[in-house]
Amino acid sequence: MPRILITGGAGFIGSHLCDYYVARGFEVIAMDNLLTGNVGNIAHISSENFRFVKHDVTNYIYVDGPVEYILHFASPASPIDYLELPIQTLKVGALGTHKALGLAKEKKARFLLASTSEVYGDPLVHPQREDYWGNVNPIGPRGVYDEAKRFAEALTMAYHRFHGVDTRIVRIFNTYGPRMRLIDGRVVPSFIGQALKGEPLTVFGDGKQTRSFCYVSDLVDGINRLLMSDEVDPTNIGNPAEMTILEFARRIRELTGSHSEIVFRDLPEDDPKVRQPDIGKARRLLGWEPKVELEEGLRRTIEHFRGVISRGAR
Ligand code: UDP
């Protein structure tokens, strides 16, 4: 039975990866410092092949015994998180990736880095293909995340080239689903929470900026296909169905049956004006494409947040 270490295993995507690999008979170690992760996300996993270790991966990582796969998902991941946690965000992208790669080298494990569409910054090429180098402001407030992930990609490629570590890099575009934090400030939980509570939906800027939203089960399937493939260069995984944020607010209002008004707030600094993955490479190499339609994914997510709100949780 292969052993897999998932850093950030108590986070939104990390916990879905734990479910996925436990269900497929892997021995899973979830590691998380619980800065933005939550043990509630993995509390339902009762398998004896599952273990949680509370650890900050910017410090030396010790794991007893063999490890076949390492998925490095630890990082604050929402714009307000990295505004509040700029140093931790830089440290986990840089020092945390270094420690996780060091462990992969030691254990001869295959390593997969969770990278991001943020490496493309405010893109001047649309949609974004993997060979686009991006347009990132290194010294702006988002730079702490974008540059940490860009450094993490560079470090991953260096460990691959110099130490022969078997590596993969996934560039994850906006992903949504159950277990996002209601208060993490990202647009999906914000709008759904506001709509369900009858509060105004806060559209930043004029709402003409675009995003493309991928349901978490599609993302996890794409990540597994990439992990099991031979592809070392970065690969986009996301849903190309693009829409403006104003359209998105209206969809959320319809799907929740809410009468909340839409209000406009200042656009955060360096907020990308457009974002859409080109998934030609994932289609060709991995035979992957997203299956869950936005409406279906949002219904499941809204159901989840109704439960969270009715329990009075955050
Ligand atoms: N956004 C918004 N209202 C909110 C939260 C976010 O209009 O309450 C906008 C944000 O400015 C961005 C888009 O929604 O243009 C997606 O933001 P999110 O924080 O989810 O992720 P990003 O794609 O910017 O990393």
Side-chain angles (χ1 to χ4, degrees), residues 79 142 174 185-187 202-204 209 211 245 271 275:
R142 294 175 91 99
N174 294 68
R186 280 185 283 188
V187 71
T202 53
V203 168
F204 296 164
Q209 71 273 30
R211 294 293 186 274
I245 292 302
D271 197 282
R275 180 179 291 155

Side-chain angles (χ1 to χ4, degrees), residues 11-28:
F12 161 50
I13 296 173
S15 67
H16 284 281
L17 288 165
C18 289
D19 284 337
Y20 183 92
Y21 287 107
V22 167
R24 280 156 186 79
F26 285 57
E27 193 178 329
V28 177

Side-chain angles (χ1 to χ4, degrees), residues 173-174 211-215 218 237-242 276-277 279 288 290-294:
F173 284 65
N174 294 68
R211 294 293 186 274
S212 314
F213 297 100
C214 184
Y215 191 67
D218 281 332
I237 298 286
N239 190 322
E242 183 186 16
Q276 182 190 32
I279 58 165
W288 176 85
K291 296 197 174 63
V292 181
E293 297 289 340
L294 184 67

Side-chain angles (χ1 to χ4, degrees), residues 37-259:
N38 181 348
V39 279
N41 288 337
I42 47 174
H44 61 282
I45 308 178
S46 56
S47 165
E48 60 189 24
N49 295 324
F50 178 74
R51 186 154 68 95
F52 171 68
V53 179
K54 184 166 185 285
H55 180 68
D56 178 342
V57 296
T58 63
N59 299 312
Y60 184 85
I61 306 170
Y62 176 75
V63 178
D64 202 11
V67 178
E68 278 79 25
Y69 300 101
I70 298 175
L71 305 185
H72 182 42
F73 277 70
S75 178
S78 114
I80 60 166
D81 284 341
Y82 34 89
L83 280 180
E84 282 168 17
L85 305 165
I87 315 283
Q88 290 94 328
T89 302
L90 282 159
K91 281 179 72 179
V92 75
L95 307 180
T97 305
H98 184 226
K99 299 292 177 280
L101 278 162
L103 183 71
K105 177 170 150 244
E106 168 69 25
K107 302 284 185 185
K108 301 190 172 32
R110 183 174 293 178
F111 174 91
L112 182 141
L113 172 69
S115 186
T116 168
S117 56
E118 284 282 325
V119 302
Y120 304 120
D122 188 5
L124 305 176
V125 168
H126 192 68
Q128 293 75 56
R129 240 175 45 176
E130 290 87 349
D131 54 7
Y132 176 48
W133 292 351
N135 178 38
V136 170
N137 173 5
I139 57 167
R142 294 175 91 99
V144 297
Y145 183 68
D146 302 8
E147 296 296 1
K149 290 291 189 181
R150 289 168 69 96
F151 176 87
E153 288 197 5
L155 193 61
T156 301
M157 292 309 292
Y159 265 69
H160 174 72
R161 294 192 182 110
F162 193 73
H163 289 308
V165 175
D166 189 16
T167 58
R168 308 285 180 270
I169 298 175
V170 58
R171 291 190 179 147
I172 300 172
F173 284 65
N174 294 68
T175 301
Y176 69 99
R179 302 188 199 150
M180 294 183 95
R181 286 175 308 151
L182 200 49
I183 51 147
D184 91 353
R186 280 185 283 188
V187 71
V188 174
S190 294
F191 284 0
I192 295 177
Q194 290 162 346
L196 293 177
K197 293 179 191 162
E199 295 167 0
L201 271 58
T202 53
V203 168
F204 296 164
D206 58 10
K208 292 203 179 101
Q209 71 273 30
T210 68
R211 294 293 186 274
S212 314
F213 297 100
C214 184
Y215 191 67
V216 65
S217 59
D218 281 332
L219 176 80
V220 165
D221 174 42
I223 288 168
N224 180 60
R225 285 175 191 241
L226 178 62
L227 181 68
M228 299 307 165
S229 78
D230 295 329
E231 181 57 19
V232 170
D233 288 343
T235 304
N236 291 339
I237 298 286
N239 190 322
E242 183 186 16
M243 65 173 61
T244 69
I245 292 302
L246 188 55
E247 276 176 78
F248 186 65
R250 296 195 178 116
R251 285 299 283 283
I252 297 289
R253 247 193 347 194
E254 278 165 31
L255 289 172
T256 52
S258 161
H259 300 294

